[in-house]
Amino acid sequence: MSEKTEKGAMQVDVQLVRDLAALLDDTNLTEIEVEDGDRKIRVARKAGGAAPLFAAPAMAPLPAPVAAPAATAADAPADAGLPSGTVVKSPIVGTAYLAAEPGAAPFARVGSQVKAGETILIVEAMKVMNAIPAPASGTVKAVLVDNGQPVEYDQPLIVIE
């Protein structure tokens, strides 16, 4: 991580910073922080043109976890039960939220029109709200998760046609 030298200057583990930056890209997170005793390093990136982050909704009782399908995008039989169209999958493990806050209208409902890049739901992971954008414009054919439901990596969330 980082260490203080005898003169008080900090030496940075450049490879660790690069690894953390790559992890940000791989997981679509906006920041990550690691700590080891009195040593701490935080890597963050600007959201740029991405959708804004939202405050965490008030905690509600969580439903029982639902087993995530173990299929990949190339595994057609597991996705055979899904409506045809673009399947939006979770980029991370977390909790799915269909609206910006409790009581607010959902970002996307079955039958609603969405535009490419528009936020269609949020996946919260480690207190960070990650806006999930629509990969393409179209009509929402199915919402496959409930508000506040835990989700797994690569789990189908929404189908857009």
Side-chain angles (χ1 to χ4, degrees):
M1 291 200 216
S2 61
E3 295 183 13
K4 298 275 185 177
T5 63
E6 290 180 22
K7 296 181 182 179
M10 182 180 290
Q11 290 182 330
V12 177
D13 182 347
V14 176
Q15 186 58 46
L16 176 61
V17 173
R18 287 186 177 140
D19 291 344
L20 291 173
L23 183 62
L24 288 180
D25 289 336
D26 293 345
T27 59
N28 292 327
L29 293 174
T30 56
E31 70 179 64
I32 189 168
E33 183 174 319
V34 291
E35 190 172 341
D36 179 22
D38 63 341
R39 299 180 297 176
K40 184 190 306 186
I41 188 165
R42 179 176 165 267
V43 178
R45 65 177 169 177
K46 292 184 180 177
L53 298 179
F54 299 92
M59 291 301 293
L62 295 176
V66 176
T72 63
D75 191 357
D79 288 346
L82 298 176
S84 64
T86 303
V87 178
V88 179
K89 295 182 178 185
S90 181
I92 54 176
V93 174
T95 303
Y97 293 105
L98 303 177
E101 60 185 34
F107 293 111
R109 298 179 184 180
V110 173
S112 65
Q113 295 292 315
V114 295
K115 295 179 183 172
E118 177 181 338
T119 299
I120 54 176
L121 62 96
I122 295 172
V123 176
E124 181 238 344
M126 298 179 64
K127 308 255 186 240
V128 176
M129 299 298 159
N130 299 281
I132 308 301
S137 297
T139 303
V140 176
K141 290 296 179 187
V143 177
L144 307 170
V145 293
D146 294 323
N147 193 48
Q149 177 181 330
V151 295
E152 296 294 326
Y153 171 76
D154 215 29
Q155 177 178 342
L157 304 172
I158 291 182
V159 179
I160 300 171
E161 184 172 72

